[in-house]
Amino acid sequence: SSELTQDPAVSVALGQTVRITCQGDSLRSYYASWYQQKPGQAPVLVIYGKNNRPSGIPDRFSGSSSGNTASLTITGAQAEDEADYYCNSRDSSGVGVFGGGTKLTVL
Amino acid sequence: QVQLQQWGAGLLKPSETLSLTCAVYGGSFSGYYWSWIRQPPGKGLEWIGEINHSGSTNYNPSLKSRVTISVDTSKNQFSLKLSSVTAADTAVYYCARGRIKPYCSGGSCRGAFWFDPWGQGTLVTVSS
């Protein structure tokens, strides 16, 4: 299967740590990439590869992977981190696939 | 810094062909996967397909029969055409630069693929 499964919604208290997960068979062959999307804006890459952050992404964002599960961790969540988060990978034939997205609420 | 700027018609009637173009500014065109992604209102992201600088394409199987992605390297532009649109094709359409890299360790390799940057998005509405 080329599907990626994410929890629809997650909440975290301000300043606490939250982990957003993504499951799928394609993650055994490809590292997930993670995107943050705020209302009315285009998605922004926050994590790619083994655990790489593009320039300008705070170091409170980190990524990890084990088997068919990838995780995005925000250590010390801030109010501005409230957004939708999407994981992405590719299946064995090179077809791209996105997870359904996780809505993160910072309380 | 690479920037993507996209444009195209925002209102279509059912059965018409959607046509969008994305221009790449400030970076090399070769070595990347130039991609289209869409997002229906209130829903998640859907990968449409990609093209590399030499014109090789890869499409989402669910859209393959209606999608054509082409590239004009002389202008650093790539384009999306989606035929026979219906209301279900109403979405914000994004262009994006895709990049792939292998990570190898201890004799085994794993790939990484990511999209960065993205275009600003174009809302395409299909309505009679």
Side-chain angles (χ1 to χ4, degrees):
Chain A
S1 170
S2 61
E3 295 181 351
L4 294 177
T5 301
Q6 297 182 240
D7 290 329
V10 171
S11 62
V12 61
L14 185 68
Q16 297 304 299
T17 296
V18 63
R19 187 171 68 179
I20 298 169
T21 61
C22 174
Q23 284 190 305
D25 289 342
S26 62
L27 297 177
R28 297 185 186 278
S29 301
Y30 279 90
Y31 288 105
S33 53
W34 290 93
Y35 304 86
Q36 177 192 69
Q37 187 180 35
K38 297 181 179 179
Q41 297 182 17
V44 173
L45 176 70
V46 294
I47 291 290
Y48 67 98
K50 202 167 184 179
N51 180 19
N52 301 103
R53 283 176 289 104
S55 173
I57 300 302
D59 61 5
R60 62 179 179 270
F61 289 88
S62 63
S64 62
S65 180
S66 177
N68 72 337
T69 301
S71 300
L72 172 70
T73 300
I74 307 174
T75 304
Q78 302 299 302
E80 61 264 33
D81 299 335
E82 187 163 289
D84 294 329
Y85 290 86
Y86 294 91
C87 59
N88 170 259
S89 181
R90 287 164 83 83
D91 70 15
S92 56
S93 59
V95 172
V97 59
F98 284 93
T102 298
K103 182 178 182 60
L104 175 65
T105 300
V106 180
L107 304 172
Chain B
Q1 185 169 344
V2 176
Q3 291 187 332
L4 304 185
Q5 185 170 359
Q6 57 182 102
W7 64 88
L11 181 61
L12 297 174
K13 290 182 168 52
S15 81
E16 292 184 335
T17 295
L18 178 157
S19 181
L20 298 173
T21 299
C22 184
V24 181
Y25 298 102
S28 170
F29 208 70
S30 62
Y32 298 98
Y33 293 79
W34 301 99
S35 307
W36 290 96
I37 296 151
R38 70 179 183 179
Q39 185 172 36
K43 297 188 178 180
L45 301 169
E46 179 181 30
W47 181 80
I48 298 172
E50 66 193 15
I51 190 167
N52 66 13
H53 70 281
S54 62
S56 295
T57 56
N58 196 11
Y59 298 135
N60 187 324
S62 68
L63 299 170
K64 187 173 184 176
S65 63
R66 297 192 293 130
V67 172
T68 302
I69 297 176
S70 58
V71 65
D72 185 341
T73 54
S74 67
K75 295 182 179 179
N76 273 18
Q77 295 176 359
F78 62 107
S79 299
L80 169 70
K81 290 190 185 302
L82 180 66
S83 63
S84 305
V85 297
T86 69
D89 296 309
T90 294
V92 175
Y93 286 76
Y94 295 101
C95 60
R97 185 182 71 172
R99 186 171 179 183
I100 193 167
K101 179 180 177 182
Y103 286 79
C104 297
S105 173
S108 67
C109 294
R110 202 166 166 186
F113 191 92
W114 63 95
F115 299 106
D116 182 55
W118 294 57
Q120 78 274 21
T122 301
L123 174 61
V124 177
T125 302
V126 181
S127 174
S128 56

